[in-house]
Amino acid sequence: MAILKIAKMGHPVLRYSAEAVEDPTAPEIRGLVGDMMETLVDADGAGLAAPQVHVPLRVVIFQVPKGRETDNDDEIPLTVLVNPIITPTSDEQDEDWEACLSVPGLTGLVPRWTSIQYSGVTLDGEKIEQAAEGFHARVVQHECDHLDGILYPARMSDLSTLMFREELRHYVGSADDEDRERDTA
Ligand code: NI
């Protein structure tokens, strides 16, 4: 296993759609995911997509850390999703702070579907079907956007909330905004 270099905003690998994985059970995909896990732990992130480590394939990993679960959503251990598909299951969107390992130092308020269904395949070739809400739904949407060449600033409705993380304390929003901005994906 190895800690991989993370591509930063502006690198072409982050701007294009990634290719579907033909064989999710292939040893090289398992190797890639092992390296992505090590890279995510090293970077202390909540999620990572293969294009962020310069591999243009439809593979994401993510977790819902303790403290980010909601009433309807448990803590989610590190999950691997190959060739994921997302379907919103309500019309409702919610804004919350996001940060990205490929956009270091910055944070912004990003609208996301509050409730989704996602599917994909595991490294054993088994199909996953899962409903998600809250932060779980948000991190999956953030990671899957990377597979389509979309970084979170492109999803923002108000770019005046795009700011350096250390300046977030100046943002006049709800009292818990600063507490909530602590996951990078
Ligand atoms: Ni990201």
Side-chain angles (χ1 to χ4, degrees):
M1 297 224 293
I3 294 170
L4 304 173
K5 188 178 178 197
I6 296 176
K8 300 207 170 65
M9 182 165 63
H11 193 290
V13 76
L14 297 173
R15 293 206 301 267
Y16 299 114
S17 280
E19 299 271 326
V21 174
E22 279 185 29
D23 179 6
T25 66
E28 58 267 29
I29 299 300
R30 188 169 290 273
L32 166 66
V33 167
D35 288 346
M36 285 172 65
M37 287 178 169
E38 199 172 348
T39 303
L40 185 65
V41 169
D42 178 66
D44 196 23
L48 191 67
Q52 290 184 276
V53 292
H54 305 85
V55 178
L57 290 174
R58 302 189 82 81
V59 178
V60 300
I61 62 174
F62 58 87
Q63 59 191 337
V64 177
K66 199 164 176 49
R68 292 308 303 257
E69 70 275 18
T70 59
D71 291 346
N72 303 319
D73 234 345
D74 293 329
E75 189 183 333
I76 303 288
L78 195 52
T79 300
V80 180
L81 214 50
V82 179
N83 299 334
I85 293 172
I86 291 178
T87 312
T89 49
S90 91
D91 295 337
E92 203 182 316
Q93 291 201 333
D94 194 19
E95 286 200 325
D96 207 347
W97 296 100
E98 290 190 18
C100 180
L101 295 170
S102 296
V103 190
L106 297 178
T107 187
L109 274 178
V110 185
R112 298 285 186 188
W113 302 112
T114 56
S115 173
I116 63 168
Q117 179 91 20
Y118 63 83
S119 61
V121 182
T122 69
L123 294 179
D124 297 320
E126 286 165 14
K127 183 137 198 210
I128 291 181
E129 289 264 11
Q130 177 74 46
E133 295 186 11
F135 180 75
H136 184 192
R138 178 170 293 276
V139 72
V140 172
Q141 289 172 83
H142 178 116
E143 295 318 323
C144 290
D145 265 357
H146 279 299
L147 305 182
D148 293 323
I150 299 168
L151 298 175
Y152 78 81
R155 292 286 191 196
M156 292 175 63
S157 52
D158 178 2
L159 281 172
S160 76
T161 69
L162 184 64
M163 61 183 77
F164 289 99
R165 297 179 75 159
E166 68 264 29
E167 303 297 338
L168 183 61
R169 67 186 186 282
H170 299 301
Y171 181 77
V172 181
S174 72
D176 63 353
D177 272 326
E178 191 166 358
D179 283 346
R180 304 205 57 188
E181 194 284 309
R182 58 179 189 259
D183 300 296
T184 306

